[in-house]
Amino acid sequence: MSDASVVELGRARSFLFVPGDRPERFGKAAGAGADVVVLDLEDAVAGDNTQAAREHIATWLDSGGRGVVRVCASDTHGHRADVDALVGLPGLQGVMLAKAERAEAVAEVAERTGVPVIPLVESAAGLARSEQMARARGAVRLAFGHLDMAADIGSTPERGAMLYARSALVFASRLGGLPGPIDGVTADLDSPDAVSADIRYASSLGMTGKLLIHPKQVAAAHSAMQPTEQDLAWANSVATSLGDGGVARVDGVMVDAPVLARAEAILARSR
């Protein structure tokens, strides 16, 4: 497994889906500016087109294209064929495992393909085992499918209903030694403000990436992930005041080592 792929996927902010049976869109997705393109073999592909989608993706990844591939859940009929179709492809950066629920399945996909795996948590069972999956061999990042999660538990996908799940994934990622998790999609395709608001909310909880479903969401996503001028001014003040450690006073508020760590994280994001 390439260390470079692990680092790249760990740092990535944006993951743009493209249907695996629409090869004419692969190049457009790759040129949209997202950090990672996710070639989809699951929800975006009708059953009759699955084999053709596997072949299109294999051709793309074998001829200079790069990307992560979302494969069907480990307990579905098409899962093994999805994974087998990816073995040995030079452009394969990683595999996103849909409806992930078992650490063993994550490790099996990583071992079979030789690339990092992103478990996509979309069910109560997956959430309950998210820390185990974060610790699984080959896991590089957790991702959240809030629409499927809402369907699984019989709730709406609104923020309040999904707060526990998002926070649980943040804690599972931390305990598993992974970067912050990747938040789910914003279904509103015509509102950059909706994408920005969703990202700022998820970021406030500790999530550090975003799944996207249209190229025009990329710019809004990256802009929302950048610290504001106010955040940067505050972070610089803290870093300057606590350059030698200890405790200081910034804008009338006491700051110490944990606050300095937050300031340094903001400055790192700006770079």
Side-chain angles (χ1 to χ4, degrees):
M1 187 175 301
S2 167
D3 290 341
S5 293
V6 172
V7 171
E8 187 174 17
L9 295 180
R11 291 178 175 173
R13 304 160 295 171
S14 54
F15 295 75
L16 176 62
F17 282 112
V18 60
D21 59 350
R22 299 299 299 271
E24 73 279 7
R25 295 185 183 179
F26 293 178
K28 181 178 180 181
D35 293 335
V36 176
V37 171
V38 182
L39 304 153
D40 196 5
L41 283 172
E42 200 224 7
D43 282 350
V45 180
D48 292 345
N49 294 336
T50 300
Q51 183 55 36
R54 293 179 187 129
E55 294 170 3
H56 292 317
I57 289 173
T59 298
W60 170 260
L61 296 177
D62 200 34
S63 57
R66 301 178 74 239
V68 165
V69 178
R70 177 164 70 169
V71 300
C72 291
S74 61
D75 60 353
T76 60
H77 175 71
H79 170 77
R80 184 56 187 258
D82 284 353
V83 174
D84 286 348
L86 303 177
V87 175
L89 295 175
L92 183 65
Q93 295 172 270
V95 174
M96 183 176 291
L97 178 59
K99 298 177 176 63
E101 295 184 347
R102 296 186 302 111
E104 295 82 2
V106 174
E108 287 169 5
V109 172
E111 183 175 358
R112 179 69 178 137
T113 60
V115 297
V117 177
I118 300 171
L120 181 58
V121 179
E122 304 179 85
S123 65
L127 189 66
R129 303 182 188 117
S130 57
E131 184 184 337
Q132 297 172 30
M133 291 192 290
R135 297 179 184 272
R137 185 175 68 256
V140 68
R141 196 99 171 258
L142 297 179
F144 185 38
H146 69 294
L147 299 179
D148 282 281
M149 178 68 77
D152 184 58
I153 66 174
S155 78
T156 70
E158 303 302 322
R159 289 177 183 173
M162 294 292 108
L163 174 58
Y164 170 76
R166 283 189 168 98
S167 295
L169 290 179
V170 170
F171 279 84
S173 297
R174 180 70 182 91
L175 292 170
L178 300 185
I182 306 160
D183 195 26
V185 303
T186 295
D188 190 338
L189 299 178
D190 297 318
S191 175
D193 290 342
V195 176
S196 299
D198 284 350
I199 286 173
R200 292 192 179 103
Y201 173 74
S203 296
S204 74
L205 300 176
M207 307 188 94
T208 58
K210 177 72 171 172
L211 301 177
L212 306 174
I213 53 177
H214 196 283
K216 65 184 180 183
Q217 294 181 323
V218 173
H222 287 177
S223 178
M225 290 175 186
Q226 285 295 312
T228 65
E229 292 298 322
Q230 183 178 3
D231 288 338
L232 285 174
W234 174 84
N236 278 308
S237 296
V238 170
T240 300
S241 300
L242 285 178
D244 296 324
V247 177
R249 179 186 175 109
V250 176
D251 296 331
V253 177
M254 185 196 79
V255 295
D256 55 8
V259 179
L260 176 60
R262 177 168 173 259
E264 290 175 340
I266 290 172
L267 296 174
R269 279 170 48 208
S270 73
R271 295 191 288 271

